[in-house]
Amino acid sequence: MLLTVGSKAPDFTLPDQNGTLHSLSEYQGQRVILYFYPRDNTPGCTKQACGFAELNPQIQEKGAVVLGVSKDSVASHKKFEEKFGLPFTLLSDPELSAIQAYGVWQEKKMCGKVGMGVVRTTYLIGADGTIEAVCGNVKAAQNPQQMLDML
């Protein structure tokens, strides 16, 4: 189940595309766009990441930071970052610690098969660490602009 607006965002510590550890608590005092996506280098995830990359200067102007999370490896994230010139942090969560804490590991139907996976979800976390907005089942291409508008 997704977290609700007004609740405290769970802290986590995960490695980025360079293997550097990041904790949500490090971003206290800044708004965070925390987006969970299924996989690197897939069409929807690429559209979403490139949209956030394009809008990153405006997002930063508004005092916010973008963090992308998937269960892909650090190496996969590095290739994804380099291929598309992504200017923000991609966090690797193969153990699903943050993915489960944020309620985005859910049953999904793909090509008639049912299995568990990451449901594309974006959270806007306030400077005080509380959740300001929850966008579940987001449209990958529209999500970056939607989040910028919320800032």
Side-chain angles (χ1 to χ4, degrees):
M1 215 170 78
L2 296 179
L3 301 177
T4 53
V5 171
S7 62
K8 185 96 179 104
D11 197 14
F12 55 78
T13 302
L14 297 171
D16 70 7
Q17 64 268 40
N18 300 308
T20 306
L21 292 176
H22 291 261
S23 297
L24 183 63
S25 53
E26 289 168 30
Y27 297 95
Q28 199 81 29
Q30 267 185 303
R31 289 168 93 195
V32 175
I33 294 171
L34 181 66
Y35 83 97
F36 292 90
Y37 65 99
R39 274 191 88 148
D40 291 341
N41 289 304
T42 55
C45 298
T46 300
K47 269 191 197 114
Q48 189 178 22
C50 289
F52 277 123
E54 202 177 296
L55 297 176
N56 202 50
Q58 292 100 297
I59 290 168
Q60 287 181 321
E61 270 171 33
K62 295 189 182 284
V65 63
V66 175
L67 302 176
V69 182
S70 83
K71 64 185 193 70
D72 291 313
S73 68
V74 167
S76 173
H77 280 349
K78 187 66 186 168
K79 285 186 195 130
F80 191 45
E81 173 208 32
E82 287 174 350
K83 186 172 178 182
F84 297 102
L86 303 177
F88 54 85
T89 301
L90 296 173
L91 298 171
S92 175
D93 189 11
E95 270 85 63
L96 309 177
S97 58
I99 288 169
Q100 288 179 333
Y102 282 82
V104 299
W105 186 250
Q106 297 177 13
E107 197 171 88
K108 292 168 65 167
K109 272 194 177 102
M110 287 285 283
C111 309
K113 286 193 190 128
V114 175
M116 296 300 285
V118 172
V119 175
R120 192 181 307 278
T121 307
T122 306
Y123 287 95
L124 178 58
I125 300 169
D128 62 354
T130 59
I131 295 172
E132 290 182 9
V134 181
C135 304
N137 280 320
V138 296
K139 300 271 178 268
Q142 287 93 38
N143 185 235
Q145 186 61 55
Q146 175 190 24
M147 297 314 291
L148 178 60
D149 294 345
M150 282 186 192
L151 294 173

